[in-house]
Structure formats: C-alpha cells, structure tokens
Amino acid sequence: MPVRGGPEDANCAVAQALGVVGDAWTLLVVRDVARGAHRFEDLRFFFFFFFLVLAERLRLLTGAEVLERVPYQEHPPRHAYRLTARGRALLPVLLALQDWGDTWVLGEGETRATADADSREAERVHALRGTALPRLWLPDATGAPRDPVADDAAFTVLYFFPGAFADPAAYPPGWAEIPGARGCTLESCTYREEWPAFRDRGAAVRGVSTQRPDEQRAFAAKERLPFPLLSDAAGELAAALRLPVFTTAGTRRLKRLTLLVDGDRVVREVWYPVPDVVASVTAALAAVERERSRREAGQQG
C-alpha cells in the first residue's frame, strides 16, 4: 500500500503536484512556454538535442491540462502549445523558485530589491536586449486589460518598481531597510515631470508593479500620473521575461529595472540595477532620442 506522505499519497497535494511537475525538465518546459516559445521547433531550440525528453514532457503536460495544443496550420497539421488556466497558476511557483535561486543559490541569502551590477542575476536581465516581449495583457489601474507595449508609439519605456502607495502606512514593515526598495514614488514622479518630453519623442511610458489595481489607482491619482500603471500581480510578464523578484511580508515584488521596447516589441535597452532613479529616467529619455535619431537617419538613407 502507498506510504502515507510518499509520492503515491492521494491526499497529499504536494505529492500529487510533484507527480505532474516533479522534475526539472517539466518545469523548464512550462518556463519556456511562458516565455513565448509556443511551437515545437521553438521549444526544441531551448532543449537542443533532447527531442524525446521534450516530446514526453509535452505529452505529460497536455495530458495534465497544464498546456493545450492549439492548431495553427492545416497542411501539414501543426500545433502550438499554450498555458491553460491551470498552467498559468504555476507561474507564481516558477517565480518562487527563481526568487529562491537568486537569493540562496546565486546570492548570499539577503532580501534585496536590487542586485550587484556584475551578478549573474544582472547578466540574465541584460540578456533581454534584442529579445521580443510576448503578447499578453495586464490589468491597468482601472482593471481593464492593456498590452504593456503601446500600439500608438514608436517606443515604450517600461519601468518596473517594487511598490508605491498613496498611504505611507501601507508600506510593509522594514521596507526602508531593504536595499533598493526606496525611491518608487520619486521614480514615478520623475517620469511624470519628463512625460511630455517622452511623448514628444514618440515614446510611451508604462509603470509595472505587482500591486493590486486599486492600490495603483490610488497612487496614480495622488501623484497625478499621466501614464498608466499596470499590475503584474499574476506574474505573467515577470515569468515571461524571467524578471528578478524578491519577497517581503509574504508578497512577491518586482525589483527595480527599466526596459526600452520598440514598436516591434523588441527590447532595445536594459537598465539594471538602477541605483539612481532620477538618472535612470534621464538615461531612458536619452536612449529614446538616440533610437529615434538612428531610425530617422536610416529612413533618409
């Protein structure tokens, strides 16, 4: 008979969950589908020559309804793999593993809202340069779904921040002592002041945190922000881009970083870590001007 608490314990949710996603390869498939690799050939790129391993894990995950097969070509028949609601519910698990790995395996076990410039975490974030953001929707401060990449601008500046609240009492205990956590209000207000300059250069600005939309709405109203704040409370964008996170007071937060994304959804510039929030806004505006001038020179040539 099954050992109580063992892998076959039907009443143990941990044991049953591990029966579906209990090995590294399976979770890595979920990770890469979340990153936007939906077709078999895209996934095979990440798994190199592990053809049989990939095929087996895809069968397992579709059978467990973590992934679904969606046809995209009739002749010959081809299918894409996408996360189901059950699969998307695994994203916080991936982020928890990433947080633990960054903190305890790659780091020194200290809760931080930033990283060292020469860390492997920073190297991973800077590798986003040249990659494309997958299409997904995040709720804005009103709860309406919105694409993080503006469709009416040549560039989008996405700044990710740990959290900013209208009520100072809403900050978690010890917030000011967490390296890199302070400065979110200053960062958003600096973007507010420079927003006309970004707009005039054909760039949209979006702020992203894991806060609830109502929290973001109160903060945006208090600070009169002219651009939208988006909530990644579900972790979809963080998991898709493997963005660095940290946990405090039982809540997962995004570490502070900035991306410049063009109209084709390609990341053109990355700023991480961000030790000076005012300087980072200035750098983002200069990058927009540089990219715009480069594009105009190419069109004239």
Side-chain angles (χ1 to χ4, degrees):
M1 62 181 295
V3 178
R4 180 175 297 177
E8 298 179 0
D9 189 340
N11 295 322
C12 177
V14 174
Q16 293 304 307
L18 289 175
V20 177
V21 292
D23 65 63
W25 291 112
T26 304
L27 279 175
L28 290 176
V29 171
V30 176
R31 179 202 67 182
D32 290 339
V33 172
R35 291 171 65 185
H38 299 300
R39 300 182 181 184
F40 188 88
E41 54 268 29
D42 298 329
L43 289 162
R44 193 176 180 186
F45 171 79
F46 292 110
F47 284 81
F48 297 103
F49 54 86
F50 296 104
F51 177 91
L52 293 179
V53 172
L54 175 58
E56 179 186 350
R57 295 317 188 273
L58 288 172
R59 284 195 295 270
L60 168 67
L61 290 169
T62 52
E65 298 181 354
V66 172
L67 299 179
E68 61 178 343
R69 297 174 76 229
V70 180
Y72 68 87
Q73 178 179 299
E74 291 186 7
H75 303 291
R78 294 285 187 270
H79 293 81
Y81 294 88
R82 298 188 180 274
L83 293 173
T84 63
R86 180 178 291 189
R88 290 192 296 274
L90 275 173
L91 298 183
V93 177
L94 292 179
L95 291 174
L97 284 170
Q98 178 180 284
D99 183 11
W100 184 82
D102 281 336
T103 303
W104 294 99
V105 181
L106 302 181
E108 302 298 328
E110 177 188 8
T111 297
R112 305 181 69 194
T114 186
D116 296 329
D118 59 352
S119 66
R120 281 181 282 180
E121 180 181 308
E123 182 180 349
R124 180 182 78 234
V125 176
H126 280 275
L128 289 171
R129 188 179 286 107
T131 63
L133 267 68
R135 291 193 176 275
L136 49 79
W137 302 89
L138 301 181
D140 63 16
T142 69
R146 190 188 288 255
D147 190 337
V149 180
D151 60 4
D152 57 352
F155 301 98
T156 302
V157 175
L158 290 173
Y159 73 97
F160 300 84
F161 61 98
F165 299 87
D167 181 3
Y171 286 93
W175 183 264
E177 283 69 51
I178 299 174
R182 299 182 65 179
C184 299
T185 299
L186 176 60
E187 184 176 27
S188 291
C189 290
T190 305
Y191 273 110
R192 177 194 65 200
E193 298 306 312
E194 295 293 345
W195 179 74
F198 281 102
R199 179 196 57 198
D200 292 345
R201 289 163 175 78
V205 175
R206 305 279 191 267
V208 184
S209 74
T210 60
Q211 295 171 263
R212 301 191 312 267
D214 63 296
E215 294 174 327
Q216 294 181 334
R217 182 167 59 251
F219 173 73
K222 178 185 177 183
E223 302 300 340
R224 307 182 313 279
L225 300 184
F227 50 82
L229 299 181
L230 307 179
S231 173
D232 193 28
E236 290 195 57
L237 187 55
L241 300 181
R242 292 193 298 166
L243 299 179
V245 297
F246 70 103
T247 302
T248 183
T251 300
R252 189 159 295 110
R253 307 279 182 184
L254 289 163
K255 295 186 179 182
R256 190 186 318 283
L257 67 103
T258 306
L259 303 177
L260 174 61
V261 184
D262 66 19
D264 295 323
R265 314 185 70 85
V266 176
V267 178
R268 309 298 301 182
E269 291 290 347
V270 178
W271 291 272
Y272 184 73
V274 179
D276 185 329
V277 295
V278 174
S280 74
V281 177
T282 301
L285 184 57
V288 169
E289 179 63 32
R290 184 171 61 252
E291 290 292 331
R292 188 182 72 156
S293 299
R294 184 180 301 166
R295 175 172 296 187
E296 290 176 350
Q299 291 173 347
Q300 294 174 358

